[in-house]
Amino acid sequence: MPTAARWAAATLAVGLLLGTAGCAAEEQPAAAGPTPRPTQTARPTPPPPVLAPLRGTVAAEGADERPALAAKIDNHEGARPQLGLERTDIVFEELVEGGLTRYVAIWHSDLPDEIGPVRSVRPMDPDIVTPFGGIIAYSGGQEVFVDMMMNTPVVNAVFDFDDTGLFYRDDVHESPHDVIVHAAELVRRNALLPPPAAQFEYAVDDGEPTSVAEGAANSVVQLRFSDARWPSWGWDAAGASWLRSQEGEPDLDAAGAQLRASNVVTLLVEIDDYSFEDIPRTLMIGAGEAWVSSGGSTVHGVWRKDSPAGSIRLVSDLGTPITLAPGNTWVELVPSSGGVEIIP
């Protein structure tokens, strides 16, 4: 091959090699860098659950915003079984004339459509109801007692004055133990009233109620209001609640189930027998002995209430505020002439 031709061929070969090497360099992937981490988005902390003020349990949606409804509930044999007592937040049992008892029952967390039978008010009822605000339903009463109740900041719904259909007489009980209230409708008509304030302190975050932490285990709380009324509460470990009896017989609701409570608060109270002739008046403004039963145990202490609008304060013998178990409560206003027996 002539020299010029060989030189041209060599030049072409070198060019081809350089072109191939250049292409290879262009096709080689770049060195991999560190893999970027995904951005961590902070999760919002959920708000704490809203607790029902009169039970210390988690409130149903919207239930904490409505007002409390109190009612004067009959406890005559002819009024049993009562309607709605099993769904109360708090019930007060009080002595009335003839050695009988009546209830001031308060609904807030769980509101039935109907409650009753309702009866007339007594002179201690304003001091019991005022701290809850909201509404009080009753059938009437002596003019002086009705005036006392009307002078509280609580909305009064009275059978004797009602012409709007909130009350009716049922065909289950005989008169006068037959007046029933449309409870849910009564609350709906007064929905703008504020909800109640908490009345007791509750053990929260899995804490023990004071009766368990400081008290002693017991099986029965036996009470005596009079020779005609001696209720008792027996601890049901399986149901984790106290079961109510009256005069030795189970106290049943309208469905045939025994009434039960998470807490039984027993207050020894003085009775004014003279200011209103034969109508006993439980003195709610004052202080005295107290027994608080929760979780199958009872702790002894003192109670105090300083004003009509003030709540009942409970302090143990060790000087600590008494906390209750979350749930419903019965408050037994036992006369000092009666009796309280805590049975192991």
Side-chain angles (χ1 to χ4, degrees), residues 18 44 130 133 201 261 278-279 301 304 310 331:
L18 290 174
T130 295
E201 297 183 45
D278 61 341
I279 306 296
R304 186 175 189 88
V331 182

Side-chain angles (χ1 to χ4, degrees), residues 183-334:
E185 174 62 18
L186 176 54
V187 171
R188 187 191 66 78
R189 295 185 189 183
N190 294 276
L192 296 181
L193 293 174
Q199 300 297 302
F200 298 113
E201 297 183 45
Y202 297 90
V204 296
D205 299 328
D206 297 324
E208 290 182 329
T210 306
S211 60
V212 175
E214 297 183 18
N218 69 292
S219 60
V220 176
V221 178
Q222 180 66 62
L223 310 171
R224 181 170 290 275
F225 283 77
S226 68
D227 291 342
R229 287 289 180 268
W230 35 283
S232 64
W233 295 88
W235 177 245
D236 173 29
S241 58
W242 299 94
L243 298 179
R244 179 176 168 84
S245 297
Q246 293 204 79
E247 293 69 72
E249 298 294 332
D251 193 6
L252 306 180
D253 64 21
Q258 194 167 2
L259 291 171
R260 59 180 59 234
S262 297
N263 308 285
V264 179
V265 176
T266 303
L267 309 183
L268 204 62
V269 298
E270 297 301 323
I271 303 293
D272 176 4
D273 288 320
Y274 305 103
S275 296
F276 300 101
E277 297 182 359
D278 61 341
I279 306 296
R281 179 185 186 181
T282 299
L283 300 179
M284 293 300 302
I285 312 302
E289 277 191 276
W291 295 260
V292 178
S293 304
S294 310
S297 297
T298 297
V299 64
H300 181 266
V302 295
W303 69 271
R304 186 175 189 88
K305 179 175 164 66
D306 295 328
S307 67
S311 59
I312 296 169
R313 291 178 291 164
L314 300 167
V315 178
S316 75
D317 290 340
L318 297 182
T320 57
I322 295 178
T323 59
L324 278 58
N328 70 317
T329 300
W330 280 60
V331 182
E332 302 284 7
L333 303 174
V334 179

Side-chain angles (χ1 to χ4, degrees), residues 107-132:
W107 288 265
H108 181 246
S109 304
D110 183 12
L111 184 62
D113 288 335
E114 297 179 334
I115 59 174
V118 299
R119 291 298 301 274
S120 53
V121 288
R122 292 296 182 269
M124 53 278 194
D125 296 337
D127 291 341
I128 295 174
V129 169
T130 295
F132 296 92

